[in-house]
Amino acid sequence: MPQKCKKVVITGVPGVGKTTVINGSMEALKELGVPYTSINFGTCMFEVACDQNLVSDRDEMRKLDQDVQRNLQKTAAQVIAKIQDNVIIDTHCTVSTPSGFLPGLPAWVLEELKPDIVVLVESNEDQILKRRLSDTTRTRDVEGYQSIKDHQNYNRYMAAAYSMLTGCTVKSIKNQDFLLENAINEMVTLLK
Ligand code: AMP
Ligand code: MG
């Protein structure tokens, strides 16, 4: 019987380094001969948002009207659901918007994606703060230590909700300064 494709959702607050962990893990998985397709949810949304002339920068999307964000989200989920492969989805448990935390995986997105695992990439708040300040390629929100801590906590609650709704497992992986290899090894062990 053909094996079922694995759907792994990888989340983490902006600046935690989830894309870096994903890229390193993809390389290691390739070397092990374990095929995965990696897709960035925000990029899928951004392509649609650009076509509709809604934004010119991906960091503007979380400031859009709530309904507009939800429509972009739904379209991206439908595109990603069509991938017939083991898939890593780089996204967010919640997105910090001017009107509060927007769930990255509301019920209709979960129904499309049917994830097997939700990974929370986490780190110390002071390290995240430093990474955001040194990243000149993005327009990261300027937040304090407590606000980043609250966001990471809230993401855990949301991951628990996603798990209850779908039966997926939830795994926390720490991405600490100078220990990127540990995070990659943990991710590869989980996905291979
Ligand atoms: P990223 O590059 O992962 O920081 O994503 C860029 C932007 O895409 C985020 O700031 C959000 O506006 C949007 N985004 C990514 N994933 C989701 C999601 N699951 N639901 C809603 N918006 C998302
Ligand atoms: Mg990223």
Side-chain angles (χ1 to χ4, degrees):
M1 206 171 78
Q3 260 197 323
K4 181 187 163 289
C5 294
K6 226 184 214 178
K7 309 283 174 197
V8 185
V9 169
I10 302 190
T11 70
V13 296
V16 79
K18 75 192 143 64
T19 306
T20 310
V21 175
I22 291 172
N23 291 344
S25 305
M26 284 292 288
E27 259 178 53
L29 286 162
K30 197 170 158 197
E31 276 169 28
L32 291 173
V34 184
Y36 266 91
T37 296
S38 155
I39 186 128
N40 186 303
F41 200 106
T43 303
C44 288
M45 284 178 61
F46 185 53
E47 281 165 7
V48 181
C50 283
D51 284 348
Q52 297 177 7
N53 285 322
L54 295 170
V55 290
S56 54
D57 180 316
R58 62 196 289 125
D59 286 310
E60 288 170 12
M61 289 194 295
R62 61 181 175 271
K63 319 278 185 212
L64 290 169
D65 182 84
Q66 192 175 342
D67 284 336
V68 176
Q69 289 189 62
R70 283 196 286 224
N71 282 334
L72 294 170
Q73 199 177 37
K74 182 149 197 179
T75 309
Q78 285 164 346
V79 169
I80 296 168
K82 291 204 178 85
I83 302 171
Q84 300 282 334
D85 194 4
N86 289 330
V87 62
I88 287 176
I89 304 153
D90 178 345
T91 188
H92 295 271
C93 256
T94 64
V95 177
S96 183
T97 79
S99 50
F101 291 126
L102 180 86
L105 305 151
W108 60 89
V109 171
L110 286 173
E111 272 158 31
E112 293 285 351
L113 299 184
K114 298 186 175 63
D116 298 291
I117 310 175
V118 170
V119 178
L120 292 154
V121 180
E122 297 176 319
S123 195
N124 296 349
E125 289 75 18
D126 51 349
Q127 295 182 4
I128 295 168
L129 200 63
K130 202 173 64 202
R131 289 174 199 160
R132 282 191 195 175
L133 291 173
S134 63
D135 182 359
T136 54
T137 67
R138 297 289 299 265
T139 314
R140 303 291 196 194
D141 289 338
V142 181
E143 277 182 292
Y145 172 97
Q146 188 59 42
S147 164
I148 296 174
K149 195 181 172 80
D150 290 345
H151 195 180
Q152 290 205 108
N153 278 336
Y154 196 72
N155 283 345
R156 285 190 163 207
Y157 311 147
M158 288 304 281
Y162 299 153
S163 177
M164 284 299 294
L165 282 168
T166 64
C168 69
T169 55
V170 178
K171 171 85 176 166
S172 161
I173 292 184
K174 300 279 179 283
N175 181 32
Q176 313 281 38
D177 277 354
F178 313 112
L179 295 171
L180 175 64
E181 279 311 307
N182 289 8
I184 292 172
N185 288 341
E186 248 194 285
M187 189 74 84
V188 170
T189 304
L190 184 69
L191 303 195
K192 74 184 179 193

